[in-house]
């Protein structure tokens, strides 16, 4: 981390959308299984290039499943601290509950619950921690995870088509053994570590999540109606306002590398909540454990590759370490730039 990096969080906010308009909202109803439909594909490609962010409506995920997932999430976080801390994550096993996360070595004002596929996950060789006696929670979360992964694959195909590649060009790096995971985010008004002398923590948590990019290919995020998510573009922070029934999509570091910088892994953050608690659920769509990421040869381009090969599992483990505690600077794709 260097000083220029820290200063990003001090940039002004373009609250009115006066300067650049706002993150596009795209109807993907026409995006079929092969994801070739022209109109959404070109809008998605444009959004990935200009913002690294867009929202999708008409996405096909059952509203009843969404409502049930939100209800289970709220009930989970409403439990007493000691019950949540019974499934606290550790350095070795990142799955479970956490309330002391660092982004770029600054503490975030939030609490989270992370889970991935069932069984032993191949990145950390660890398995999910579930709250005991909560079968309905687990079942609902699994269904939501599967629905998010399905939507992610459709979007991945649209992003490939938008680069002029066959839509299924990257399928092999994800299907069926992607290493994606779900995070339940609760951004409370009251700092979850306030008055906790028993847990070592940094005193200040002045943002919900400090600025960062997501490590994987793409993220499918469900946010409630509170707002606070912002994306950085051209020297300003821009709000990503809640749109009823929409998912927020952003591209991650690996998509930036694959696309040789045509698509941006946008820098984003969440403000600290002051008046109302906020909830969100990102699904991070990540490649299979053995994937090696290199810039793809894009039709009509003879640009040399901007990055050296990135071994996904290695990159992911290093990033997670930085989030858990201060084990040195977070790994960034800039370190792989040629
Ligand atoms: C994240 C993130 C945004 C949000 O968890 O990586 O950027 O709106 N979340 O909660
Ligand atoms: Ni993020």
């Amino acid at each position: 981390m260097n000083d220029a990096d820290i200063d990003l969080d001090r940039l002004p906010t373009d609250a009115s959308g006066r300067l650049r308009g706002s993150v596009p909202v795209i109807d993907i109803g026409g995006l079929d299984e092969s994801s070739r439909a022209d109109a959404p594909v070109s809008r998605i490609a444009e959004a990935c290039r200009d913002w690294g962010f867009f929202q999708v409506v008409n996405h096909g995920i059952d509203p009843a499943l969404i409502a049930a997932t939100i209800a289970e999430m709220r009930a989970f976080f409403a439990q007493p601290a000691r019950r949540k801390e019974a499934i606290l994550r550790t350095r070795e096993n990142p799955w479970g509950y956490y309330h002391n996360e660092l982004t770029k070595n600054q503490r975030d004002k939030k609490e989270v619950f992370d889970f991935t596929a069932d069984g032993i996950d191949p990145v950390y060789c660890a398995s999910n921690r579930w709250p005991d006696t909560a079968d309905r929670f687990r079942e609902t979360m699994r269904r939501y995870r599967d629905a998010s992964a399905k939507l992610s694959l459709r979007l991945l195909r649209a992003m490939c088509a938008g680069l002029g590649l066959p839509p299924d060009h990257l399928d092999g790096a994800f299907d069926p053994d992607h290493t994606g995971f779900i995070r339940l985010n609760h951004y409370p008004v009251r700092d979850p570590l306030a008055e906790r002398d028993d847990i070592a923590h940094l005193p200040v948590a002045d943002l919900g999540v400090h600025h960062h990019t997501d490590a994987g290919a793409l993220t499918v995020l469900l946010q409630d109606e509170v707002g606070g998510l912002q994306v950085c573009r051209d020297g300003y922070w821009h709000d990503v306002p809640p749109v009823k029934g929409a998912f927020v999509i952003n591209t991650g570091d690996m998509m930036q590398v694959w696309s040789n910088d045509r698509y941006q892994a946008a820098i984003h953050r969440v403000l600290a909540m002051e008046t109302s608690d906020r909830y969100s659920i990102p699904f991070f769509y990540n490649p299979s454990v053995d994937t090696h990421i290199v810039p793809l040869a894009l039709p009509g381009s003879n640009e040399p590759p901007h990055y050296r090969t990135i071994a996904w599992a290695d990159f992911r483990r290093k990033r997670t370490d930085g989030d858990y505690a201060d084990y040195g600077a977070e790994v960034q794709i800039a370190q792989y730039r040629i």
Side-chain angles (χ1 to χ4, degrees):
M1 183 170 55
N2 56 40
D3 292 345
D5 207 15
I6 294 170
D7 281 341
L8 271 185
D9 281 327
R10 303 209 181 100
L11 290 173
T13 294
D14 174 29
S16 56
R18 186 172 43 89
L19 295 167
R20 288 280 176 272
S22 54
V23 167
V25 179
I26 304 175
D27 183 332
I28 58 164
L31 209 55
D32 59 5
E33 276 307 303
S34 63
S35 297
R36 277 188 194 278
D38 283 350
V41 164
S42 58
R43 290 201 66 207
I44 288 170
E46 251 168 57
C48 291
R49 185 192 65 203
D50 296 344
W51 288 97
F53 262 85
F54 55 100
Q55 307 209 44
V56 295
V57 292
N58 222 347
H59 44 67
I61 296 192
D62 180 5
L65 175 60
I66 294 174
T69 307
I70 293 172
E72 292 293 337
M73 164 174 61
R74 294 179 77 105
F76 172 79
F77 285 120
Q79 298 178 99
R82 70 181 154 72
R83 289 198 57 100
K84 293 181 279 187
E85 287 168 14
I87 52 167
L88 201 60
R89 65 161 289 188
T90 54
R91 184 176 181 188
E92 295 71 33
N93 178 351
W95 310 117
Y97 172 77
Y98 204 44
H99 47 19
N100 201 2
E101 187 162 79
L102 305 179
T103 304
K104 299 194 178 348
N105 296 330
Q106 299 174 88
R107 184 163 67 87
D108 299 329
K109 189 182 171 188
K110 68 175 184 192
E111 51 180 350
V112 306
F113 175 79
D114 289 351
F115 69 96
T116 186
D118 296 325
I120 307 284
D121 95 78
V123 179
Y124 307 97
C125 301
S127 45
N128 290 323
R129 292 186 176 94
W130 294 103
D132 54 5
T133 70
D135 293 347
R136 201 180 53 192
F137 176 81
R138 196 186 295 209
E139 206 34 57
T140 308
M141 291 303 156
R142 280 189 184 130
R143 282 174 51 219
Y144 184 77
R145 179 193 66 209
D146 293 347
S148 310
K150 234 173 111 184
L151 173 58
S152 298
L153 181 60
R154 280 171 75 203
L155 293 167
L156 176 80
R157 289 174 174 167
M159 288 178 190
C160 285
L163 291 170
L165 297 165
D168 62 358
H169 193 79
L170 285 173
D171 277 23
F174 292 85
D175 203 24
D177 49 2
H178 66 83
T179 59
F181 74 100
I182 294 265
R183 163 163 285 187
L184 308 181
N185 274 315
H186 177 213
Y187 302 96
V189 172
R190 198 186 130 78
D191 184 347
L193 293 182
E195 290 150 39
R196 289 295 297 266
D197 306 335
D198 56 324
I199 296 173
H201 63 272
L202 294 174
V204 178
D206 58 343
L207 283 171
V209 186
H210 289 80
H211 77 264
H212 67 281
T213 56
D214 295 344
L218 67 96
T219 304
V220 170
L221 176 106
L222 178 65
Q223 65 168 336
D224 68 12
E225 63 297 334
V226 173
L229 172 61
Q230 296 188 320
V231 54
C232 190
R233 179 179 175 192
D234 299 338
Y236 286 86
W237 288 103
H238 304 263
D239 294 325
V240 184
V243 171
K244 210 171 168 43
F247 283 93
V248 177
I249 314 299
N250 65 274
T251 44
D253 290 335
M254 296 308 111
M255 188 53 78
Q256 179 166 336
V257 173
W258 267 320
S259 71
N260 210 24
D261 293 324
R262 272 219 218 156
Y263 293 160
Q264 295 298 313
I267 295 173
H268 55 286
R269 69 176 181 181
V270 176
L271 301 176
M273 293 303 114
E274 309 274 351
T275 52
S276 166
D277 283 17
R278 174 174 185 266
Y279 296 84
S280 73
I281 312 181
F283 171 69
F284 301 101
Y285 194 47
N286 292 338
S288 312
V289 66
D290 293 328
T291 309
H292 285 75
I293 289 116
V294 283
L296 301 169
L298 300 179
S301 162
N302 47 20
E303 256 183 73
H306 299 176
Y307 299 91
R308 294 187 311 256
T309 306
I310 299 179
W312 165 247
D314 180 53
F315 188 84
R316 168 91 173 102
R317 282 189 210 109
K318 285 182 180 150
R319 179 69 67 87
T320 315
D321 240 14
D323 292 345
Y324 176 61
D326 188 359
Y327 291 117
E330 257 182 24
V331 65
Q332 304 294 338
I333 54 171
Q335 294 159 16
Y336 296 81
R337 198 174 271 285
I338 295 173

